[in-house]
Amino acid sequence: MFDFDMLGLAPELDTALTRAGFTQPTPIQTRAIPLAMEGHDILGLAQTGTGKTLAFGLPIVHHLLGAPGKPQPGTAKALILAPTRELANQIAESLRQLTDGTRLRVATVVGGQSIGRQINLLSRGTDILVATPGRLIDLMERRAVDLGQVRHLVLDEADQMLDLGFIHALRKIAPRLGTPRQTMLFSATMPKQMEELSRAYLTDPRRVQVAPPGKAADKIAQSVHFLPKAEKPARLREILSRDLDALTLVFARTKHGAEKLMKGLVADGFNAASIHGNKSQGQRDRAIRAFRAGEITTLVATDVAARGIDVPGVAYVINYDLPEVPDNYVHRIGRTARAGREGEAIAFCAPDEAELLHEIQKLMKTEIPVASGTSPLRIEGGKAGRREGSAPRRPRGGGNGGAATQAPKRRRPRRRRAA
């Protein structure tokens, strides 16, 4: 059995891991940490919720603890870029668990917060800077931060950064970084652009892959309901009513749709809140804190706002609207079954979303078990076509990868206290 104490980490890190309740590394950590500690660039591919933050965080903190000297004013020694405010805050929170009681400082700069306060924070210098690309560029343009001392760069959820167009921001940031440096890129999926990104910014990287890109976590029980769009609200309320105490994350496609859905749930007596781009950072932070504490049991979110939600107790993810980008389905359902726990992902598929479901199943190389309704698609030679009045086809062979005619009944996963 492989334990953290076998990695040769600094004593302060062993203490921090014990204090936080971490004893055994996950597969991505087992494979990535030793290579990163040797100084290699890393291209890490793993399902969301498998412990990528520690996979890059532990080696960086280990190296910084062994490096003499404090950061100079306005500088940072390590830079971690994340696509959303929520993910940046989550990463910083995890890193502070590792650096608590040490001389290392962790700073976070994201949009939606006072840039003046962030300028004052950076004026003192920091060991690790966690940032969203847009706000970091704002600070660079104001000459509030000098990245010339950065020797460790991490691009977390890099595929999402590509989707959001942050590649242009990265092109502005990268030339300002110090050299030589170690660069680590982590992602749950591997689109073609990711290979290009790897070639542009990584030097002789070690590829660490613990699951095929696009594959959902094994402990997520998936199902899909085929139904008209007009029936989605009633079906959602029916499902939520079965387990009112379970933490449930509901995904909507648009900001307006998420807010409307949340208000309707609250009006019907459900304990719900929402996070999306029209919410202030303070509102989003408060909603996530309440959700994590169980004060809010249903959180309605859009894709961008929800990236970075790391709540171990999420029992269910409901795709009220299917995402237009298939990769986002994998990211969405990865909000449940975190760190080896069990979880359930339920999708609603209206007739006009059938092609979206087909692309999602094509990405994952599996069919999602059908909980109710009839699929309008048939798969012939990899193409989707209309199918009138017939039941969904049962794939050959069965097994975990096959689709059942009827999905198992919704059950309440066993809750476990977060480590």
Side-chain angles (χ1 to χ4, degrees), residues 41-43 155 167 170 181 183 185 190-205 207:
D41 283 8
I42 302 292
L43 174 58
L155 307 178
I167 185 64
L170 184 59
R181 66 174 178 270
T183 301
L185 185 155
M190 192 66 181
K192 291 182 180 179
Q193 281 185 294
M194 195 66 63
E195 293 283 2
E196 299 172 4
L197 192 70
S198 172
R199 288 194 295 270
Y201 295 103
L202 275 65
T203 301
D204 189 24
R207 181 170 176 139

Side-chain angles (χ1 to χ4, degrees), residues 251-269:
F251 281 97
R253 186 174 297 126
T254 67
K255 294 178 285 188
H256 173 73
E259 189 68 10
K260 181 180 179 181
L261 182 58
M262 179 275 293
K263 289 181 177 179
L265 290 173
V266 171
D268 288 341

Side-chain angles (χ1 to χ4, degrees), residues 40-271:
H40 295 290
D41 283 8
I42 302 292
L43 174 58
L45 299 172
Q47 304 152 350
T48 185
T50 53
K52 286 179 285 185
T53 301
L54 284 187
F56 62 74
L58 282 170
I60 289 176
V61 174
H62 173 82
H63 284 140
L64 293 179
L65 286 172
K70 297 181 179 180
Q72 298 176 7
T75 70
K77 294 183 177 182
L79 173 65
I80 299 170
L81 292 177
T84 67
R85 307 167 188 174
E86 282 74 23
L87 181 55
N89 289 332
Q90 179 62 44
I91 292 170
E93 181 180 335
S94 297
L95 292 177
R96 290 189 181 105
Q97 284 186 302
L98 302 179
T99 58
D100 185 34
T102 74
R103 58 178 173 79
L104 301 183
R105 293 199 295 266
V106 179
T108 310
V109 292
V110 298
Q113 297 180 356
S114 168
I115 196 168
R117 292 180 182 176
Q118 293 174 356
I119 290 173
N120 290 335
L121 176 67
L122 292 175
S123 68
R124 299 190 292 271
T126 187
D127 295 279
I128 303 174
L129 177 61
V130 187
T132 51
R135 177 48 60 94
L136 181 59
I137 289 177
D138 289 343
L139 291 163
M140 290 166 54
E141 291 175 345
R142 297 179 184 225
R143 297 184 179 180
V145 60
D146 178 2
L147 301 178
Q149 302 301 313
V150 170
R151 291 296 184 270
H152 302 275
L153 171 66
V154 175
L155 307 178
D156 194 22
E157 304 286 14
D159 53 346
Q160 180 76 347
M161 283 200 271
L162 290 174
D163 290 342
L164 296 175
F166 287 150
I167 185 64
H168 303 294
L170 184 59
R171 288 176 181 145
K172 293 181 180 180
I173 294 169
R176 305 285 190 91
L177 303 173
T179 56
R181 66 174 178 270
Q182 179 186 42
T183 301
M184 292 183 274
L185 185 155
F186 284 83
S187 177
T189 60
M190 192 66 181
K192 291 182 180 179
Q193 281 185 294
M194 195 66 63
E195 293 283 2
E196 299 172 4
L197 192 70
S198 172
R199 288 194 295 270
Y201 295 103
L202 275 65
T203 301
D204 189 24
R206 299 296 190 267
R207 181 170 176 139
V208 178
Q209 182 174 329
V210 297
K215 184 178 184 297
D218 294 331
K219 294 190 177 183
I220 301 175
Q222 301 180 63
S223 63
V224 59
H225 294 262
F226 293 101
L227 73 176
K229 184 176 181 179
E231 295 181 10
K232 285 186 177 184
R235 184 61 56 87
L236 175 63
R237 285 155 176 77
E238 174 192 335
I239 292 174
L240 292 176
S241 297
R242 297 175 192 170
D243 195 350
L244 292 173
D245 294 330
L247 297 184
T248 303
L249 184 57
V250 181
F251 281 97
R253 186 174 297 126
T254 67
K255 294 178 285 188
H256 173 73
E259 189 68 10
K260 181 180 179 181
L261 182 58
M262 179 275 293
K263 289 181 177 179
L265 290 173
V266 171
D268 288 341
F270 291 93
N271 190 9

